[in-house]
Amino acid sequence: MGNNINIKNRKAKFQYEILDKYTAGIKLVGTEIKSIREGKASIAESFCEFNDRGELFVINMHIEEYSHATHFNHKPKSERKLLLQKKELKKLYKEVRNTGLTIIPLRMFINDRGIAKLVIALCKGKKLYDKREDIKKRDTKKRLDRIKKAFNN
């Protein structure tokens, strides 16, 4: 299959310090996979939460309604269950409850078997001064690259 779907959460690396990454499957219903294959999904404002039974759900993920569907179309912003191994779920649950960390989706892709996957990360929120430091580092790197390019030409 020629799948090149790669939907990213660009704000995540700026707003959070990434501690650990996991690849999870997504339980989709109806026409959701068709919209994802068209690239009509967004994970920019989404986050993950556990319910009272210890299941992990992605919340606020937007998948547009499928254009060729009938009245059986899906809801664009419903909660979607994430599929992980029990061992991984227990570890994440313990980290979130004890240390107050957050689980953020970083990237959504379709693997070679045509299955939608979500790369999630255990994150810690950055403070304002950390964000300023990142901006400063990025600007310095840009300036150095420009100087190197001018020097080489």
Side-chain angles (χ1 to χ4, degrees):
M1 293 185 145
N3 291 328
N4 55 357
I5 302 301
N6 192 12
I7 300 163
K8 294 182 180 177
N9 186 352
R10 296 178 192 270
K11 292 180 181 178
K13 288 184 181 174
F14 180 70
Q15 293 179 342
Y16 299 96
E17 180 184 335
I18 297 169
L19 303 175
D20 205 2
K21 291 183 184 180
Y22 298 91
T23 302
I26 313 169
K27 186 175 179 183
L28 299 172
V29 291
T31 54
E32 291 176 338
I33 188 65
K34 293 181 179 187
S35 291
I36 290 173
R37 286 187 180 136
E38 288 181 352
K40 297 186 176 177
S42 171
I43 57 173
E45 301 293 321
S46 58
F47 58 96
C48 301
E49 264 187 359
F50 284 96
N51 67 356
D52 50 345
R53 291 186 304 204
E55 299 171 329
L56 187 63
F57 286 87
V58 63
I59 297 168
N60 216 13
M61 180 171 83
H62 181 79
I63 299 176
E64 271 188 40
E65 289 186 349
Y66 185 58
S67 57
H68 302 300
T70 59
H71 61 279
F72 293 111
N73 220 331
H74 64 273
K75 295 176 186 168
K77 282 207 176 191
S78 63
E79 294 181 355
R80 292 165 180 92
K81 185 176 179 179
L82 293 180
L83 308 171
L84 284 164
Q85 293 181 0
K86 266 187 185 170
K87 180 174 59 174
E88 293 173 330
L89 281 172
K90 285 180 183 176
K91 183 181 176 189
L92 283 171
Y93 186 77
K94 191 171 78 173
E95 289 285 335
V96 169
R97 289 287 178 240
N98 295 340
T99 57
L101 298 175
T102 313
I103 302 171
I104 301 292
L106 297 178
R107 183 170 78 99
M108 185 192 308
F109 65 96
I110 296 180
N111 68 1
D112 53 346
R113 292 174 42 203
I115 299 169
K117 298 282 184 175
L118 193 66
V119 176
I120 59 173
L122 192 62
C123 301
K124 179 181 173 186
K126 283 186 182 178
K127 303 286 184 206
L128 186 61
Y129 55 84
D130 290 333
K131 292 179 187 177
R132 286 189 197 131
E133 231 173 80
D134 284 349
I135 292 170
K136 210 180 291 184
K137 284 179 187 175
R138 198 177 335 143
D139 289 345
T140 307
K141 187 179 180 309
K142 276 184 191 177
R143 287 190 196 122
L144 283 172
D145 289 344
R146 283 185 193 141
I147 291 169
K148 285 180 185 176
K149 188 176 179 182
F151 185 70
N152 288 336
N153 288 336

